[in-house]
Amino acid sequence: MAKLNCFVAQSGGPTVAINSSLAGVIKGVADSEMYDTIYGSVNGILGILDNRILNLSEKVPDDKELLCLKHTPAMYLGSCRYKLPDYHRDDSDYKRIFEQFKRYNIGAFFYIGGNDSMDTVLKLSEYGSLIGSDVKIIGIPKTVDNDLMVTDHTPGFGSAAKYVATSLLEIAHDTFIYAVKSVTIVEIMGRDAGWLTAASALARNGYNTAPHFIYLPEVPFDKDKFIEDAKEFLKTNNNLIVAISEGIRDKAGNYISAGDCVADHFGHKMLSGAGQALAEIVKEEIGVKVRSVEVNVLQRCAAHEASKTDLDEAFNSGHKAVELAEAGVTASMVTMTRSSNAPYTIEYGYARIAGIANEAKSVPVEWINERGNDVTAEMIDYLKPLIEGEVTLTYRDGIPVYMDVSHLKPGVLPVEKR
Amino acid sequence: MAKLNCFVAQSGGPTVAINSSLAGVIKGVADSEMYDTIYGSVNGILGILDNRILNLSEKVPDDKELLCLKHTPAMYLGSCRYKLPDYHRDDSDYKRIFEQFKRYNIGAFFYIGGNDSMDTVLKLSEYGSLIGSDVKIIGIPKTVDNDLMVTDHTPGFGSAAKYVATSLLEIAHDTFIYAVKSVTIVEIMGRDAGWLTAASALARNGYNTAPHFIYLPEVPFDKDKFIEDAKEFLKTNNNLIVAISEGIRDKAGNYISAGDCVADHFGHKMLSGAGQALAEIVKEEIGVKVRSVEVNVLQRCAAHEASKTDLDEAFNSGHKAVELAEAGVTASMVTMTRSSNAPYTIEYGYARIAGIANEAKSVPVEWINERGNDVTAEMIDYLKPLIEGEVTLTYRDGIPVYMDVSHLKPGVLPVEKR
């Protein structure tokens, strides 16, 4: 029987590990008896629609290139934020996608992404089943937010968590040097889920107790308690460091933001974030030196501080997806189950996509302390293994060597008229 | 003859390499025939005034501890922003300091810092000469701004430059994934000198031409030219990335800032920076997706992305300072002279402090292109060697192992009444 080919695409926001999953898929296809060529769809599902396709079996031919891909941040294949329409209402995209599957002799499609991408996996699976397609549709999870259901955790999160913990420790060293009272607010990504902010607790060690307070979006932020706690801390200490999720809200559910009354000189409202808002509160109510640090996009793309555990798990998840498709599984997402914490052991499996897409996993309230200003020991136990292990990048001229992504430039892969 | 002891202190803003210079001083004293114990003054010159002193020969006794110190960011000894008064007007601090020199049997004092710290070196040298003191006073340069006179470059700068270049490349990967027009403004430290922003150019490689424009404080920022250049670029490209110094100014010398008309809901003026200001300009005049990324304090404390060249040079500068004091040099700062670029070769020397303190070295205008939106090849040649080489940190539980800085906490080393 002639071998079939595969499609793979990446979608949603960047992580450090999403190319490692792609490398796992490429290796999975290379190892497979059933599949021949792995084609990459550029800019998520849009690449299939627009016929912007890369032959990855040629572009990433050997272990050296695979390793470089594994170490490269963000999406080698580009991303998209495209949501497929309801196929009952408009099935034109679906027709085109399944035509493309035929044209490329596709046996399986792998979509690496977060919640929105799993929605695409669900819809394509349903439509495929409706038209009696044999193409296996498998989702491979990624997100720095760690908010996907069913799986113990999500590839991409561990590296972001390691970056946050390392940065927090370095900010602590930066902060401890002055013998004056100060407050530093560190704002971390997480609009609805506090996992990544919780990971700042991993910066604590024998001499560093920062972050001294941690606020997550899962419990309401109480301004009065915060001021009380901060004042109490500063009685006997100099440098207070506070980690907050960008998405913290008050009891009424409103985001803590300094921006609601602020307009710039063009008359625009300027939305400054929760960090700036807390800095203003400190200035007003406590009156010590204060600084707000926004951990920027690097928390999701700093491949130079990746977790080895994370990159390996991302790779294994990609490889597992190909094995699942070969075994006849479809309409599913790869999952990780933690079978033991000491030694840390992960088993790879899968779950039906229907129960995963469009749901989000929050931090359990039991893993936040009663005062609402810290995480519990259970949280630390859960997080610790995920940031273990370091990755040695190759450098040239003082900067890391990543994969050439010139194919993402406009015009390099032209859009095919439908 | 009984051996003399030494004082060392650190001052000013943090860098990744300032503890490497401290390690160099400690090793220098250990290697010396003339000096016995090296004492660390905690919180800069204040530690000598307040008698908050660490015995570094005991605290950092062997090569293992020295290596850990070399890798630890910010100041192991803490810092201060204290400027000594004019001794003609008030010599009480000076009297106390030279009494402390006697009390600890000090033969040399090493001050690691930037411009303000060199001012302290100058004043102490002058006062010492006035009272006929034999204590040698030597400055060891550090600053991420690279704006100290006479020396080819300054320890601490190379690591910050490597962090900026690496981060810029990773931000480029993060940005290139969406096939939509966008502008990303990356704001980098440098109020008066553009060296660190210029280092963003080192992110360019075979496939990455970002940052596409670079704006430094040394030439006036022309808003109209910027809009024109950005529009032209976006005609044929999707993702424009612009690197700017926080200190860019217009022709009239006013800082580019979105903050002058902005007030928060407490009535405070909120000073948002140049990055936010440029983002507003793009929104207003070009109308594409725009994001402003402020490279935060990590550019000066991310030891996890240090330049090996930088840490080695910082260490050598510290060691050289001890050698100079032994040879009878005083009232001077350690300098580096580049004798060759290929192979990159540095010679360590010294210069009289009088010509260095309170002066600042700007980027030469010839190293900025005529359009004022990029740096020249000469700048790249100058910068490239400084970010070469990587440092392998030790990790425990997924985060770097740095030196315990508990001694900086209030009360651990009590202030002695004068």
Side-chain angles (χ1 to χ4, degrees), chain A residues 173-193:
Chain A
H173 275 269
D174 187 278
T175 302
F176 292 164
I177 60 169
Y178 292 116
V180 293
K181 302 280 173 196
S182 75
V183 178
T184 302
I185 315 286
V186 182
E187 184 187 316
I188 296 159
M189 282 181 176
R191 209 72 190 149
D192 297 304

Side-chain angles (χ1 to χ4, degrees), chain A residues 223-280:
Chain A
K223 181 182 151 181
D224 296 333
K225 272 193 197 165
F226 164 66
I227 295 166
E228 197 182 305
D229 289 347
K231 281 183 175 167
E232 185 61 31
F233 179 91
L234 289 168
K235 274 185 194 161
T236 49
N237 299 279
N238 275 338
N239 312 107
L240 172 61
I241 299 180
V242 178
I244 60 163
S245 291
E246 56 177 339
I248 54 169
R249 270 158 278 196
D250 62 19
K251 267 176 209 153
N254 300 313
Y255 286 112
I256 307 293
S257 157
D260 37 359
C261 304
V262 178
D264 66 8
H265 55 266
F266 300 110
H268 296 130
K269 273 197 180 181
M270 281 178 62
L271 274 172
S272 83
Q276 190 59 41
L278 257 63
E280 289 298 322

Side-chain angles (χ1 to χ4, degrees), chain A residues 43 170 174 264 280 300 402, chain B residues 170 174 264 280 300 402:
Chain A
N43 291 123
E170 290 173 340
D174 187 278
D264 66 8
E280 289 298 322
R300 68 184 195 196
Y402 296 136
Chain B
E170 291 173 339
D174 187 278
D264 67 7
E280 290 299 321
R300 67 183 194 197
Y402 296 137

Side-chain angles (χ1 to χ4, degrees), chain A residues 5 32 36 67 79-80 86 109 113 133 178 203 243 264 276 278 303 312 323 343 357 361 365 370 377 404 407:
Chain A
N5 303 316
S32 135
D36 183 24
L67 187 68
S79 183
C80 71
D86 183 347
F109 171 51
S133 163
Y178 292 116
D264 66 8
Q276 190 59 41
L278 257 63
D312 289 347
E323 294 165 34
K361 185 176 73 176
V365 180
E370 214 175 316
D404 183 335
H407 52 270

